Amino acid sequence: MRRQSMSKALVRRETISGYLFLLPSLIFFVGFVVYPMIMCVYTSFFDATMGKDRQDIFIGLQNYKDLFKDPAFLKALKNTLVIVIVSVPVTCAFSLWVSSAIYKMRGPIRSAFRCIFYLPVVTGSVAVTVVWKWMYNNYYGIFNYVGKGLGLIEKNINWLGDERFALGCIILILLTTSVGQPIVLYVSALGNVDHSLVEASQVDGANDMQVFWRIKWPQIMPTTLYILVITTINSFQCFALIQLLTSGGPNHSTDTIMYYIYYQAFKLYHYGYGNAMGVILAIIIAIFSAVQFKLAKADTSY
Amino acid sequence: MSEVIIKGLKKVYEGGVTAVHDVNLDIADKEFIVLVGPSGCGKSTTLRMVAGLEDITDGELYIDGKLCNNVEPKDRDIAMVFQSYALYPHMTVYDNMAFALKLKKVPKPEIDKKVREVAEILDITQYLDRKPKALSGGQRQRVAIGRAMVRDPKVFLMDEPLSNLDAKLRNQMRAEIIKLRSRINTTFMYVTHDQTEAMTLGDRIVIMKDGFVNQIGTPGEVFDKPVNLFVAGFIGMPVMNFFDNCKLVLDGGVYYAEIRGARFKLDEFQQKALKQNNQQSCDIVAGIRPQHISVGQGDLEAKIVVNEMMGSEVHLHADSNGDEVVMVIPTVDLKTDVSMGATVKFTTQPKLIQLFDKASGNNLIWYDKASADACAPVCKNYIF
Ligand SMILES: Nc1ncnc2c1ncn2[C@@H]1O[C@H](COP(=O)(O)OP(=O)(O)OP(=O)(O)O)[C@@H](O)[C@H]1O
Ligand SMILES: [Mg+2]
C-alpha cells in the first residue's frame, strides 16, 4: 500500500517537473503558433481590417464565397498548383539522381558535391534571389547574353517581365534552392541501406537497375515520403522569391497564394480576406500531405 | 557439373590489408567444403571472392570450368546464405524466396510450385505471407536457406549461417543442413569458425590461418594427421595437449619420442615415414589428444586439479610437473582414483603421439603429405 501511494506521489511529481521543462517551448508554441492559428481561422469570418478605430464586422462565410469569385485568387491558386506539380517531382527525381550518383564516391568528393547543392539552401534567399535577378536582367543579364551569343534568341527577353516566362523562371530558382536538403537526405539514406541486402540481390541475379528499384528504392521510401512532404509544403509557401522578383506581376502571372495573402492582408489591409485564404491553403496542404502519406505508406509498411 | 577451382587466390583490401594470401583449392562437383579458422583469417573474404562480391586481387577462380574472375555476381549462378540472413525486409517470405526466379523471368506457376515445394521442405509454409520482421531467428534462417534453395545454383555458399542462433537451434539446424545436403545436389562452400560444424558437415575441411590455407582434408584426416601445431590445436575438443621441449631420438636405427623422461618407441608407420625423410634426432613438441590418454599405469605422472564429470566420460585437468594436461577418460574404464588432488600415472599409445618440429611447428610425419600418404595406411581406428 505504502509503496503504491509513494509511487503515485512520485509519478505526480515527475509529471509536474516534466511539464515544467516543457513550459518555455510550450509558451512559445502557444503564443506564436496556436494562438495565431486560432486567430487566423477566427478573423477569416470577419471583415477584419487591422485598423484601430474600425470595427470588425462578422460576415460568416462571405470571405470564402468571395474568394472563389476573385479571378486573382483563382489565378494564384492555379500558379501555386503549377509550381507544386512541376517542382515537387522534379526536385525529388533530380535529387535522387544526383544522390545515387554521388553517394558511393569517396568522402571528400561526396562532401564537395553535397556542399555545392546545399549552398543555395544556407545562403540567404535574398542574396540568391538578387543574383538570379541579375542573371535574368533584360539588359545585362547573362541569360540574354549567352542566349544571343549562341543564337538561341534573337533579341533580349525580359524574362521576369514576360507573362510567358516569368513563372518558369521562378520555378527554376525554386528548384535550385530546394534540391539541397533532399540531396543531403538521400545521400545519407542511400548510404544507410543495408549493404548485405544489395549483395544478396546481386547474388540473386539482379542487375544495377533492379538492385536500385527493387531493393534500395523501397528501403529509402520513408526518406522519399519526408522529402515529398517538405518540398510540397515549401512549394506551396513560395513567397520570398515572388516578393523580391516580380511582386506577383506581370498581370498576376506569378501570384502564388502565399504572395496574394500577403498582398491582400498587408498591402490592402484586407485582413480577414487574407486569413480566409490562409485557411484554404492550410487545408490544401493538409490534403496533399495526407495523400502522399497514404500512397507511400502502402509501400513502406514493413 | 560444377566444380570450383581456386588457384593462388589473393585479396588485398583498399587500405592495404592482405586478407587472403594464397588459397589453392579444388572443389569437386557436389562436394561439401567447409572453410574453418579463427576470426579474421580470411574465410569470409575467400567466400565473397567466389561469390563475386569482392574483386580478386590475384589468382584464378574457375566455376564449372569457366574463368570467373571478372564475371558479375549475378552471372555466376551461385546462391549465398548470409550470416545476417539479409532477407529483404519489404518483401514477404514468399517474395523473398521468389525474387531470384522472378528476375530470371521464370513463369509464375513454376515459381509458385518451386517456392511452395521448398517451403514445405523447410517447414515454413505457414509463414509465406509474413514479412521477415515477424519471424524468429530460426525461421529467418530457414527462409534465407530457402531463398538460396529455390534456385538450383551451381554453387551454394554459406557464411556462418548458424552463428546467430542459440546452441540448441544451431544443433537442430545443423542436422537440417545435413539432411538438406542430400536433397540438393550441388557444390557447397560453408564458412564457420565452429569446429563441430566443420567436422560434422564437411566432406573436406579447409583450415585457414592468417590468409593461408594450413590443411585441406577430410574430418578424419585433419583430426588424425594435423600437419602443424596450429591445426592440431584448432581441431579437437578439448584442445590437444602439447608437451614442449621433448625429443625425437634416433637410437640404433629406431625412433623414440622422449616425453618428460619417458621413452616411447614409435609405431611402425612413424618409423617408416621418419626414415624416409631421413629425420635426425631433434627437439620436438609432442602432442597427445585428451581422448588418447589412459590413466592407471605408465611412466608419466600428474596431479588432478579439476575433475569434471560429463556422464559417459570424465574430463580431468591435471598438473604434470608444470605441464597442464587435459584427459578425457571414459567412465566405464575408470578403475583409478581420479578425485581432485589425487596423483595418477598416465600414458598413451606411441602411434597416437603427434610429433611437431620445435622450430617450424610442422608435423614430422604428416607435414609432407605426399610422402606421408605413401608410408602409412590412414589410421582409421583412431576416432572418426
Ligand atoms: N572491407 C575490408 N577492408 C579492409 N580490410 C578488411 C575488409 N574486410 C575484411 N578485412 C580484413 O581482412 C581480414 C579477413 O577478414 P574476413 O572477414 O575474411 O575474416 P573471417 O575469417 O571471415 O573472420 P570471421 O570469422 O570473424 O568472420 C581481417 O583481418 C579483416 O580485418
Ligand atoms: Mg567472416
Side-chain angles (χ1 to χ4, degrees):
Chain A
M1 266 321 281
R2 224 188 106 71
R3 260 190 74 89
Q4 213 172 10
S5 63
M6 261 282 289
S7 69
K8 249 184 200 162
L10 219 94
V11 166
R12 191 159 54 234
R13 278 208 2 223
E14 286 209 341
T15 318
I16 292 171
S17 61
Y19 279 115
L20 277 178
F21 274 113
L22 275 177
L23 198 60
S25 55
L26 213 58
I27 290 173
F28 271 90
F29 184 68
V30 171
F32 291 99
V33 178
V34 177
Y35 175 72
M37 252 160 63
I38 294 171
M39 280 311 286
C40 172
V41 177
Y42 176 77
T43 48
S44 70
F45 299 116
F46 287 82
D47 181 15
T49 49
M50 285 214 295
K52 267 211 182 105
D53 28 304
R54 283 221 248 146
Q55 201 67 44
D56 293 348
I57 308 154
F58 181 79
I59 51 167
L61 290 174
Q62 194 54 48
N63 279 332
Y64 293 92
K65 283 182 196 152
D66 289 347
L67 264 182
F68 289 97
K69 283 188 222 126
D70 179 353
F73 171 76
L74 293 177
K75 191 143 191 187
L77 185 62
K78 194 194 104 199
N79 287 339
T80 309
L81 288 178
V82 168
I83 289 175
V84 168
I85 285 164
V86 175
S87 84
V88 171
V90 172
T91 304
C92 283
F94 180 78
S95 50
L96 183 60
W97 176 63
V98 171
S99 315
S100 56
I102 66 172
Y103 87 100
K104 273 191 242 164
M105 293 180 180
R106 277 188 294 125
I109 303 175
R110 192 176 58 214
S111 299
F113 272 108
R114 268 193 306 204
C115 233
I116 292 168
F117 286 108
Y118 206 67
L119 215 53
V121 183
V122 289
T123 318
S125 57
V126 176
V128 173
T129 312
V130 167
V131 172
W132 277 97
K133 203 167 182 173
W134 277 343
M135 300 205 287
Y136 282 136
N137 189 286
N138 194 3
Y139 306 106
Y140 47 83
I142 190 164
F143 283 106
N144 282 331
Y145 181 76
V146 172
K148 271 198 297 194
L150 293 177
L152 293 176
I153 50 179
E154 270 170 29
K155 54 184 194 315
N156 280 359
I157 293 176
N158 188 359
W159 296 102
L160 293 171
D162 189 321
E163 263 188 64
R164 287 170 298 165
F165 302 119
L167 193 60
C169 292
I170 300 272
I171 291 177
L172 185 63
I173 305 174
L174 188 64
L175 287 177
T176 64
T177 56
S178 54
V179 292
Q181 182 121 9
I183 286 175
V184 170
L185 290 171
Y186 266 140
V187 165
S188 84
L190 285 167
N192 283 339
V193 171
D194 183 355
H195 196 58
S196 66
L197 297 181
V198 174
E199 292 181 336
S201 62
Q202 284 171 341
V203 170
D204 270 347
N207 60 30
D208 287 352
M209 269 317 213
Q210 287 163 328
V211 170
F212 189 86
W213 289 114
R214 306 258 195 142
I215 306 297
K216 288 182 190 162
W217 176 244
Q219 291 295 303
I220 58 172
M221 207 54 186
T223 306
T224 304
L225 176 58
Y226 178 69
I227 288 171
L228 278 177
V229 172
I230 58 166
T231 33
T232 305
I233 293 174
N234 279 344
S235 311
F236 266 118
Q237 299 190 336
C238 175
F239 167 73
L241 280 179
I242 314 276
Q243 219 267 1
L244 290 163
L245 288 174
T246 62
S247 306
N251 186 23
H252 294 291
S253 68
T254 58
D255 257 350
T256 60
I257 298 186
M258 208 59 187
Y259 182 77
Y260 196 55
I261 291 173
Y262 162 82
Y263 179 75
Q264 284 288 345
F266 299 105
K267 285 264 165 78
L268 306 180
Y269 301 112
H270 295 156
Y271 195 49
Y273 192 60
N275 280 344
M277 276 190 272
V279 172
I280 298 283
L281 181 62
I283 290 171
I284 294 174
I285 291 179
I287 291 171
F288 260 76
S289 303
V291 168
Q292 284 166 339
F293 261 99
K294 201 91 198 159
L295 290 178
K297 262 282 152 49
D299 270 17
T300 28
S301 58
Y302 59 77
Chain B
M1 284 301 286
S2 50
E3 73 279 283
V4 176
I5 296 173
I6 296 171
K7 277 191 194 156
L9 206 63
K10 179 172 177 173
K11 173 71 192 180
V12 181
Y13 278 111
E14 251 169 66
V17 183
T18 308
V20 174
H21 286 271
D22 179 21
V23 171
N24 292 284
L25 199 55
D26 279 16
I27 306 173
D29 186 31
K30 306 200 188 355
E31 193 176 7
F32 198 118
I33 282 278
V34 178
L35 301 180
V36 66
S39 193
C41 70
K43 310 177 294 286
S44 298
T45 306
T46 307
L47 200 73
R48 290 167 56 80
M49 282 193 281
V50 174
L53 299 173
E54 300 286 353
D55 290 333
I56 294 173
T57 309
D58 201 6
E60 285 158 17
L61 166 73
Y62 296 91
I63 297 173
D64 211 1
K66 188 176 153 215
L67 183 66
C68 282
N69 282 34
N70 296 319
V71 177
E72 296 232 9
K74 68 184 173 68
D75 301 320
R76 291 193 187 191
D77 198 8
I78 39 166
M80 183 156 174
V81 177
F82 292 77
Q83 180 175 357
S84 60
Y85 312 144
L87 299 176
Y88 310 127
H90 55 284
M91 300 184 196
T92 61
V93 168
Y94 183 98
D95 290 331
N96 262 280
M97 290 170 69
F99 186 66
L101 298 180
K102 276 185 194 160
L103 292 180
K104 266 203 238 161
K105 305 221 158 50
V106 175
K108 271 242 166 68
E110 209 170 305
I111 295 179
D112 192 64
K113 184 164 155 275
K114 191 82 205 182
V115 169
R116 287 184 191 284
E117 192 183 301
V118 170
E120 200 62 42
I121 293 172
L122 292 170
D123 201 17
I124 46 174
T125 309
Q126 66 267 48
Y127 310 121
L128 281 178
D129 294 329
R130 289 203 199 166
K131 295 270 170 70
K133 208 172 74 176
L135 298 178
S136 72
Q139 289 159 352
R140 284 180 207 182
Q141 227 293 317
R142 284 159 201 267
V143 176
I145 291 180
R147 187 172 67 179
M149 264 176 77
V150 294
R151 295 192 26 209
D152 289 323
K154 279 190 190 141
V155 189
F156 209 107
L157 306 175
M158 296 181 163
D159 191 353
E160 312 210 20
L162 306 185
S163 63
N164 283 346
L165 304 179
D166 63 53
K168 197 171 155 219
L169 252 176
R170 197 169 345 173
N171 286 342
Q172 199 182 325
M173 282 309 293
R174 204 171 60 218
E176 301 243 337
I177 289 178
I178 296 175
K179 267 195 275 173
L180 204 128
R181 201 244 149 138
S182 55
R183 281 173 179 272
I184 357 177
N185 254 333
T186 43
T187 310
F188 280 79
M189 280 182 85
Y190 186 103
V191 164
T192 178
H193 56 241
D194 179 315
Q195 56 156 313
T196 320
E197 270 171 44
M199 297 295 257
T200 49
L201 292 172
D203 289 335
R204 281 193 300 157
I205 299 177
V206 179
I207 296 158
M208 294 183 64
K209 186 195 176 205
D210 299 336
F212 289 100
V213 171
N214 274 235
Q215 186 168 9
I216 303 173
T218 62
E221 277 167 357
V222 295
F223 189 80
D224 289 336
K225 306 172 174 180
V227 295
N228 58 23
L229 277 172
F230 172 74
V231 176
F234 191 79
I235 299 289
M237 278 295 269
V239 175
M240 183 185 273
N241 297 300
F242 293 114
F243 297 87
D244 207 350
N245 297 319
C246 295
K247 285 210 156 43
L248 178 76
V249 180
L250 176 58
D251 187 357
V254 182
Y255 288 97
Y256 298 91
E258 271 189 16
I259 303 173
R260 302 287 171 267
R263 210 170 222 225
F264 295 86
K265 184 182 171 217
L266 293 174
D267 197 75
E268 202 142 322
F269 77 90
Q270 290 162 314
Q271 300 284 355
K272 218 162 139 188
L274 291 168
K275 217 164 275 170
Q276 198 168 61
N277 292 351
N278 201 13
Q279 182 68 46
Q280 300 301 309
S281 297
C282 65
D283 285 345
I284 59 166
V285 175
I288 304 173
R289 291 213 182 271
Q291 295 86 348
H292 294 161
I293 289 177
S294 57
V295 293
Q297 53 190 12
D299 301 330
L300 295 164
E301 222 177 52
K303 191 172 167 222
I304 309 291
V305 181
V306 178
N307 170 320
E308 294 173 315
M309 183 60 192
M310 311 294 266
S312 61
E313 57 190 29
V314 58
H315 289 197
L316 304 173
H317 298 253
D319 175 26
S320 171
N321 294 322
D323 292 314
E324 208 184 294
V325 182
V326 179
M327 316 173 184
V328 174
I329 314 289
T331 357
V332 283
D333 295 350
L334 206 55
K335 298 184 187 73
T336 326
D337 175 22
V338 291
S339 50
M340 290 189 206
T343 305
V344 294
K345 292 189 179 308
F346 71 92
T347 188
T348 185
Q349 298 176 46
K351 66 173 181 189
L352 299 175
I353 301 174
Q354 303 289 350
L355 313 162
F356 301 98
D357 182 39
K358 183 153 168 51
S360 65
N362 290 334
N363 195 320
L364 292 176
I365 312 275
W366 304 119
Y367 181 65
D368 186 3
K369 200 168 171 309
S371 69
D373 278 345
C375 303
V378 181
C379 320
K380 287 235 163 57
N381 51 341
Y382 287 6
I383 269 199
F384 283 96

